[in-house]
């Protein structure tokens, strides 16, 4: 029997709040790559304003990714 621990939504929010797309690596690697590229592109085009707008999206996406991960993990164990 393999036991996989669940991820914490609070830690995901905290890491994403501090590090933005880089903090999303805790919750979703694919999402972190997508938002990292998007933040860089928008940051260049809008002189940094677009990157700041991506930050809240990263936080929400990271929290939802952890919730989905935990939900799927619990469903697999049943």
């Amino acid at each position: 029997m393999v036991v996989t621990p669940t991820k914490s939504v609070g830690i995901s929010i905290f890491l994403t709040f501090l590090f933005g797309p880089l903090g999303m690596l805790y919750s979703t690697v694919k999402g972190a790559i997508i938002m990292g590229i998007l933040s860089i592109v928008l940051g260049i085009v809008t002189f940094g304003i677009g990157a700041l707008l991506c930050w809240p999206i990263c936080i929400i996406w990271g929290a939802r990714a952890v919730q989905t991960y935990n939900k799927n993990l619990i469903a697999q164990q049943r």
Side-chain angles (χ1 to χ4, degrees), residues 33-44:
I33 293 169
I34 291 169
M35 290 306 291
I37 292 170
L38 186 65
S39 293
I40 290 170
V41 170
L42 285 177
I44 291 171

Side-chain angles (χ1 to χ4, degrees), residues 54-72:
C54 286
W55 219 267
I57 296 169
C58 290
I59 295 171
I60 294 167
W61 190 345
R64 294 288 297 161
V66 168
Q67 288 175 342
T68 303
Y69 172 82
N70 289 340
K71 184 179 175 182
N72 290 339

